[in-house]
Amino acid sequence: MIAVLGLVVGVVVGLLVRPEVPAVVEPYLPIAVVAALDAVFGGLRAMLDGIFVDKVFVVSFLSNVVVAALIVFLGDKLGVGAQLSTGVVVVLGIRIFSNAAAIRRHVFRAWGR
Amino acid sequence: MSNEQNPSGEQNHHRHARPGGALPPEAPAPAPPPAARPEGTSGRQRLRAGLWPPRVSRAQLIVALLLFVLGLGLAIQVRSNSDNSALRGARQEDLVRILDELDNRTQRLEDEKQRLDDQRTELENSSDQAEEARKQTREKERQLGILAGTVAAHGPGITLTISDPTGAVEADMLLDTIQELRAAGAEAIQINGVRVVADTYFSGDGGELGVDGRKIEAPYEFKVIGKPQDLEPALNIPGGVVQTLEKEQATAEVTRAEDIVVDALRPAERPDYARSSSQ
């Protein structure tokens, strides 16, 4: 519950305060957000599976964000930034979908019974 | 079943290791897992359990913090994407490309502007030239009109009045007068309301004179535009027009005037055969 509240508060603060993002971080923000979403879906699935461990979640969240940003950064340096970030988004999207499918299976099977 | 067998096996093992009343304390050991499990055998129940009674635990707080960061990033990104133009999130190479395109476009538009400016200048010039040509044409038309007698004229000049009580003035005398005046630089002449032009002719004799077929009667009044200082002496020179007329008992009187109006007109005639070869 508190976690959901955290998400809501984050969105509201982001919309209201409109913080200035440093220009260096700006290109990596969208990818980082997608990576974080992936981590969150993974965490949700783990929770439904009953194997949720907060440490694992923290590590996967942070490492997801960092690795995604790193890949985009590397891509920018190599001159294939656009393609590489597309690739990262595709991979993360696939993972999000598979996690969402697992979550759905949990929730709806429960309802089915 | 195997789950329950294992602990019993362990208990047996323990019993071997530590014989004694070890059973009662170890019996609850399997109990905690079932105690933790019953709430969340299914995912949905676990979800509900996690959602509703809001418990402040370390895990919840950490997850809340991370989700807060996620929400923040999400909101910022959505906002910056929808608020500002697409330029804000664009990467460097895209920006360079966009800048290049804009530069090219600016260049093209500048070129076009230059071209249109040139065209405008050209058109203005040509219209100026056309206006100038039209002005010159009008001016020329006026000048030629004065010569051809199609427009009225005024200017300094003289009035020559010939009174002829005896009817002695002949047509050739009038013609001589005209020649003399022309030689002295007369620019527009009319006699008794008849404009004198290039093809003017005199006819008749003895007081029955005609100019261009129109009868005129004495006194003959010449209105002449030209330089008075030239015209008057030209008529008065010894042996000239005035003396010749006076010899015939006609009197000629010359009067200078600052403004002579020659307003007798002649219709412009279109030549039947002659055509301008200049155009």
Side-chain angles (χ1 to χ4, degrees):
Chain A
M1 191 60 203
I2 291 178
V4 175
L5 275 181
L7 181 65
V8 171
V9 169
V11 170
V12 169
V13 168
L15 287 180
L16 291 185
V17 176
R18 193 197 288 229
E20 201 53 41
V21 187
V24 186
V25 186
E26 210 158 42
Y28 311 118
L29 188 60
I31 295 295
V33 166
V34 175
L37 269 181
D38 172 54
V40 167
F41 273 88
L44 195 59
R45 181 191 181 176
M47 199 188 89
L48 291 174
D49 283 344
I51 52 171
F52 180 80
V53 180
D54 53 350
K55 267 181 203 158
V56 173
F57 176 69
V58 170
V59 170
S60 84
F61 187 98
L62 292 182
S63 68
N64 254 15
V65 168
V66 169
V67 168
L70 202 67
I71 288 175
V72 175
F73 170 77
L74 202 63
D76 270 347
K77 289 293 168 221
L78 292 177
V80 289
Q83 295 89 323
L84 211 50
S85 56
T86 306
V88 170
V89 168
V90 167
V91 170
L92 291 178
I94 289 172
R95 286 178 46 130
I96 289 174
F97 267 108
S98 66
N99 280 336
I103 293 165
R104 187 206 63 223
R105 234 171 277 129
H106 268 292
V107 173
F108 283 101
R109 189 187 292 157
W111 263 320
R113 283 175 190 172
Chain B
M1 291 303 280
S2 64
N3 225 8
E4 288 180 14
Q5 276 178 348
N6 265 346
S8 65
E10 277 179 22
Q11 279 167 9
N12 287 338
H13 196 67
H14 282 298
R15 209 180 289 165
H16 282 291
R18 269 191 249 161
L23 253 176
E26 296 210 358
R37 278 247 158 151
E39 295 179 46
T41 36
S42 84
R44 177 172 164 252
Q45 282 162 345
R46 262 197 299 275
L47 185 63
R48 184 186 282 170
L51 275 183
W52 183 231
R55 286 169 321 217
V56 180
S57 68
R58 191 174 62 109
Q60 287 266 357
L61 282 180
I62 288 173
V63 172
L65 182 70
L66 291 181
L67 285 181
F68 172 79
V69 173
L70 170 64
L72 201 65
L74 206 63
I76 290 170
Q77 185 56 28
V78 168
R79 179 136 234 181
S80 75
N81 240 16
S82 57
D83 256 14
N84 302 307
S85 65
L87 292 181
R88 194 174 161 83
R91 62 190 73 248
Q92 200 170 351
E93 64 227 44
D94 291 345
L95 288 174
V96 170
R97 187 175 46 77
I98 291 170
L99 195 62
D100 273 354
E101 279 171 7
L102 282 178
D103 276 349
N104 284 341
R105 188 138 174 270
T106 311
Q107 187 64 43
R108 272 203 310 277
L109 290 176
E110 285 285 347
D111 286 353
E112 194 175 345
K113 177 172 170 290
Q114 184 63 40
R115 198 167 49 76
L116 290 174
D117 273 349
D118 288 351
Q119 205 173 338
R120 196 190 63 181
T121 313
E122 199 177 313
L123 286 173
E124 275 177 355
N125 280 347
S126 72
S127 90
D128 279 359
Q129 283 171 1
E131 180 61 32
E132 183 64 25
R134 220 173 293 130
K135 226 167 79 183
Q136 284 177 3
T137 306
R138 272 201 299 272
E139 186 64 26
K140 201 160 192 175
E141 186 194 353
R142 269 199 297 275
Q143 290 168 1
L144 292 174
I146 289 171
L147 282 182
T150 56
V151 298
H154 71 99
I158 60 166
T159 308
L160 168 66
T161 311
I162 301 172
S163 52
D164 180 22
T166 61
V169 174
E170 300 286 339
D172 60 335
M173 291 177 187
L174 295 184
L175 182 59
D176 285 345
T177 309
I178 296 297
Q179 308 278 40
E180 197 66 52
L181 288 169
R182 277 185 176 150
E187 290 169 354
I189 304 169
Q190 71 177 41
I191 305 172
N192 284 15
V194 180
R195 187 71 168 262
V196 176
V197 292
D199 57 354
T200 294
Y201 63 92
F202 295 93
S203 57
D205 56 0
E208 296 277 319
L209 298 179
V211 180
D212 290 344
R214 285 174 61 181
K215 286 217 166 301
I216 56 171
E217 293 181 353
Y220 310 113
E221 188 193 37
F222 289 63
K223 285 182 171 179
V224 185
I225 294 176
K227 194 177 176 187
Q229 296 91 325
D230 289 349
L231 295 172
E232 197 181 356
L235 296 174
N236 286 331
I237 53 167
V241 171
V242 171
Q243 279 193 0
T244 310
L245 286 170
E246 280 171 353
K247 222 184 289 174
E248 303 288 336
Q249 277 111 45
T251 58
E253 189 187 338
V254 179
T255 318
R256 293 193 193 188
E258 275 308 304
D259 195 46
I260 296 286
V261 176
V262 174
D263 53 2
L265 297 183
R266 244 167 215 263
E269 282 170 13
R270 188 186 168 85
D272 289 332
Y273 302 104
R275 292 283 179 271
S276 166
S277 62
S278 63
Q279 284 178 354

